[in-house]
Amino acid sequence: MEEEQEHIYTKDGTTDFRNKPAIKKETGTWKACPYILGNECCERLAYYGINTNLVNYLKFQLDQSSVVAINNVTNWSGTCYVTPLLGAFLADAYLGRYWTIACFSVIYVFGMTLLTVSASVYGLKPPCDENVCHPTGLQTAVFFIGLYLIALGTGGIKPCVSSFGADQFDDSDEAEKKKKSSFFNWFYFSINIGALIAASVLVWIQTNVGWGWGFGIPAVAMAMAVVTFFSGTRLYRSQRPGGSPLTRICQVLVASFRKFRAQVPRDKSLLYETVEQESAVKGSRKLDHTEQLCFFDKAAVETQSDRIKGSVNAWRLCPVTQVEELKSIIRLLPVWATGIIFSAVYSQMGTLFVLQGNTMDLHMTPSFEIPSASLSLFDTISVIFWVPVYDRVIVPFARKFTGHKNGFTQLQRIAIGLAISIFAMLAAGTLELVRLREVRKHHYYDLKHMPMSIFWQVPQYFIIGCAEVFTFIGQLEFFYEQAPDAMRSLCSALSLTTAALGNYLSTLLVNIVTEFSTRHGRPGWIPDNLNYGNLDSFFWLLAALSVLNLGLYLFVANWYTYKRPVVSAH
């Protein structure tokens, strides 16, 4: 009878919306996923509806120079990937993923509403005459308040949605666990459906109908995302928040440094661990001891002073599982760091690729022009093409050679994407080199659009889309799987901060090359009129950094040890 009861409920500690143990047949798996994927699709439509064309809004509506506009876009994008650290901490420690998504979604909707108002309401909308706008300080301030409210709102959604979706599959059930890898593929697919609509329909509306409509439609999409998410409440499985992960990390650090002279026993079974079957960390399975980073094992060496009146002092003695949590985080950091250059490459789609496209012939037909920012839809088309190809063709084919159930390990998948991204920068640099030769040959310097089709940009967008499918999805799955159970939102946020630092790195590189390349009265690599610049040199720089980054990544990946959860006795 007890065995039957065990098979009714999930074994990974998830609960239903009433905070009771989740029943397998009634909750989770693919039946809960459409609501999560629908939420993500609408939210990404809203995000990319702003991000894709933001550089043009800043340049032409807020009258900013190219360098200032590029830096404002990358700084905002970077902030959107830093705030997830706050949302992840609240989710893992106190609120849980469900309520964190719900609360921050409301903030997001407020930000979208303010952004729409700033672009459409008289007095807040910048006045324009003869294609030149003259925004006041107040109008610019209102726009940026709305923009950064969105950055705060996305901080509670980004780190939680992918992890919350993965929570719908029981790790201890082999049949469900196999489906989890496919979930990450289709999760990223849904992101790009939203991005596709943003890059095609919304960018056209912003350019040809008006920015008020262009921001208003994503605002409605975000409101729909909230409704969609709440619709699936009864079907969701949730992990209980496990208390502050930062406190547990600090406890291991303090305990290990307090006992830096203690000898770690050769027999690791003598290290302290709770005798109960469940882990001392709420919402987490026990973890097996690993040999790396053995200094921190000192925190689990029991001495006479570690107990106060029979109870354990958590700042002097930590169970092996808690020590292994810290080790898991430290092992993730080198892999995490190698994602920064890739994110800097990826961020060019929303900045320099758009400005490069602005200089080219935008005509699809003699009477129809495509906005330069809409070329990012080829990145999205690439992702939409490669996700099912990867899931249905590449994985079964690779499985025959590697023997791995998912075709490639997560680290191998990331490496392939890093290698592909190098070719995206080479394609962009080659195109710019050819474009500048035509400018100099025919003296097109002062032409707004030179007679060279913008569709020559398609290869660089398509290659980046292919790299995304390998690297970004690989990172999503890797950071979820390798994170301690009670730190999954935090580790998802950690993976997102590579995008933040990639954007900030792009800002730094732009500022550095502008400083050095504009000396002695030269126009520099990235002037307002790119026909006088050397944008190709910036792409070569990113390609070179990507090659160095790939070499470092291969070294780091070879060193990495995967975490080992303790198999449940029942």
Side-chain angles (χ1 to χ4, degrees):
M1 192 69 178
E2 281 184 21
E3 282 187 21
E4 286 180 18
Q5 284 290 101
E6 283 177 3
H7 289 303
I8 290 174
Y9 300 105
T10 58
K11 295 181 183 178
D12 58 357
T14 49
T15 59
D16 61 16
F17 73 101
R18 295 181 295 259
N19 205 30
K20 294 180 179 179
I23 298 173
K24 279 190 174 187
K25 289 185 178 180
E26 295 180 6
T27 61
T29 65
W30 287 112
K31 60 179 169 287
C33 290
Y35 301 96
I36 298 168
L37 296 177
N39 167 272
E40 184 63 10
C41 182
C42 292
E43 190 274 327
R44 291 290 86 185
L45 169 66
Y47 174 80
Y48 286 113
I50 301 163
N51 185 66
T52 304
N53 209 19
L54 182 58
V55 69
N56 280 333
Y57 186 88
L58 296 176
K59 188 170 181 179
F60 301 115
Q61 299 296 307
L62 296 187
D63 197 31
Q64 296 182 348
S65 70
S66 292
V67 169
V68 172
I70 289 167
N71 288 346
N72 274 327
V73 172
T74 51
N75 287 340
W76 175 72
S77 297
T79 304
C80 286
Y81 288 96
V82 166
T83 53
L85 289 172
L86 171 64
F89 174 79
L90 292 174
D92 282 340
Y94 305 111
L95 298 178
R97 288 187 260 279
Y98 175 85
W99 284 109
T100 302
I101 294 169
C103 294
F104 279 78
S105 292
V106 174
I107 297 172
Y108 200 123
V109 172
F110 275 122
M112 287 296 310
T113 303
L114 190 57
L115 206 67
T116 304
V117 167
S118 74
S120 55
V121 173
Y122 179 78
L124 292 177
K125 178 183 177 182
C128 303
D129 56 74
E130 296 181 0
N131 296 322
V132 178
C133 296
H134 310 281
T136 64
L138 174 64
Q139 290 166 342
T140 301
V142 170
F143 177 82
F144 275 98
I145 289 170
L147 203 60
Y148 278 88
L149 273 176
I150 292 166
L152 177 60
T154 200
I157 300 170
K158 276 182 184 290
C160 295
V161 175
S162 62
S163 296
F164 188 63
D167 287 344
Q168 308 310 310
F169 301 91
D170 188 350
D171 258 347
S172 59
D173 184 315
E174 281 302 317
E176 289 192 17
K177 191 174 181 179
K178 286 179 183 176
K179 297 173 183 175
K180 188 181 293 186
S181 183
S182 285
F183 166 78
F184 284 107
N185 289 331
W186 293 107
F187 175 80
Y188 208 75
F189 184 87
S190 69
I191 287 176
N192 282 276
I193 291 294
L196 177 66
I197 299 169
S200 53
V201 179
L202 289 181
V203 169
W204 187 87
I205 289 172
Q206 289 164 355
T207 306
N208 296 284
V209 179
W211 289 96
W213 281 100
F215 291 148
I217 293 171
V220 173
M222 188 58 217
M224 288 173 58
V226 176
V227 172
T228 302
F229 180 73
F230 281 116
S231 299
T233 299
R234 289 179 173 272
L235 296 173
Y236 296 147
R237 296 174 184 173
S238 300
Q239 288 280 1
R240 291 188 179 97
S244 171
L246 298 181
T247 301
R248 295 199 302 277
I249 287 171
C250 290
Q251 285 171 342
V252 176
L253 291 172
V254 169
S256 55
F257 279 101
R258 270 180 167 177
K259 294 188 282 192
F260 72 95
R261 290 180 180 171
Q263 290 294 317
V264 178
R266 289 183 179 231
D267 183 358
K268 299 306 185 287
S269 65
L270 298 176
L271 293 173
Y272 172 69
E273 182 59 280
T274 55
V275 294
E276 291 84 5
Q277 190 173 334
E278 296 298 320
S279 166
V281 181
K282 194 163 108 181
S284 182
R285 292 167 293 172
K286 286 184 177 179
L287 294 172
D288 266 336
H289 175 267
T290 57
E291 294 296 334
Q292 287 178 330
L293 305 167
C294 57
F295 172 80
F296 297 108
D297 291 339
K298 295 176 185 291
V301 175
E302 190 166 358
T303 63
Q304 289 182 342
S305 59
D306 291 339
R307 294 180 183 267
I308 303 172
K309 296 180 180 178
S311 62
V312 173
N313 181 348
W315 293 91
R316 295 191 67 92
L317 181 63
C318 305
V320 169
T321 293
Q322 192 173 336
V323 173
E324 290 300 322
E325 277 191 333
L326 175 59
K327 287 185 183 182
S328 295
I329 298 295
I330 294 173
R331 280 195 293 264
L332 287 173
L333 292 178
V335 179
W336 164 83
T338 55
I340 296 171
I341 298 291
F342 180 83
S343 294
V345 167
Y346 180 77
S347 71
Q348 303 315 308
M349 280 201 306
T351 54
L352 291 177
F353 282 15
V354 175
L355 295 181
Q356 182 187 44
N358 283 346
T359 68
M360 303 174 78
D361 182 4
L362 305 178
H363 285 93
M364 284 186 71
T365 68
S367 59
F368 180 78
E369 289 187 353
I370 184 172
S372 60
S374 286
L375 263 287
S376 65
L377 68 87
F378 287 100
D379 162 74
T380 308
I381 290 169
S382 178
V383 172
I384 291 171
F385 170 77
W386 283 110
V387 164
V389 168
Y390 181 87
D391 201 47
R392 304 299 180 191
V393 179
I394 296 176
V395 168
F397 181 76
R399 193 182 290 142
K400 295 176 184 177
F401 297 94
T402 64
H404 192 273
K405 62 182 179 181
N406 294 327
F408 301 103
T409 66
Q410 295 143 2
L411 289 173
Q412 288 170 341
R413 182 173 184 173
I414 294 169
I416 294 168
L418 294 180
I420 293 171
S421 70
I422 297 168
F423 293 97
M425 287 299 96
L426 293 176
T430 302
L431 173 64
E432 185 63 11
L433 195 64
V434 171
R435 193 189 71 79
L436 288 175
R437 280 179 182 169
E438 289 298 303
V439 167
R440 289 158 189 163
K441 182 178 178 181
H442 300 286
H443 294 278
Y444 292 143
Y445 291 103
D446 296 318
L447 278 184
K448 186 177 180 181
H449 302 293
M450 63 174 289
M452 183 178 185
S453 175
I454 193 173
F455 290 100
W456 283 106
Q457 282 192 311
V458 170
Q460 63 206 53
Y461 280 103
F462 198 82
I463 294 168
I464 280 190
C466 181
E468 276 183 73
V469 169
F470 284 91
T471 293
F472 277 153
I473 302 178
Q475 285 177 340
L476 269 176
E477 187 176 357
F478 176 76
F479 278 86
Y480 179 86
E481 288 291 337
Q482 296 306 304
D485 293 350
M487 293 187 181
R488 278 177 166 160
S489 295
L490 188 66
C491 287
S492 292
L494 188 65
S495 73
L496 292 170
T497 55
T498 61
L501 294 175
N503 278 282
Y504 294 147
L505 175 62
S506 179
T507 299
L508 178 64
L509 290 174
V510 167
N511 287 336
I512 290 172
V513 301
T514 299
E515 173 68 25
F516 282 94
S517 65
T518 55
R519 291 180 177 179
H520 310 299
R522 290 176 297 182
W525 287 6
I526 316 173
D528 283 342
N529 185 341
L530 291 181
N531 292 335
Y532 289 95
N534 284 100
L535 182 57
D536 57 311
S537 298
F538 190 77
F539 292 138
W540 304 137
L541 174 63
L542 284 175
L545 290 174
S546 297
V547 171
L548 293 174
N549 185 59
L550 177 60
L552 177 62
Y553 174 83
L554 294 174
F555 173 78
V556 165
N558 189 55
W559 170 83
Y560 188 80
T561 300
Y562 287 87
K563 77 168 188 179
R564 298 196 303 265
V566 175
V567 179
S568 174
H570 61 273

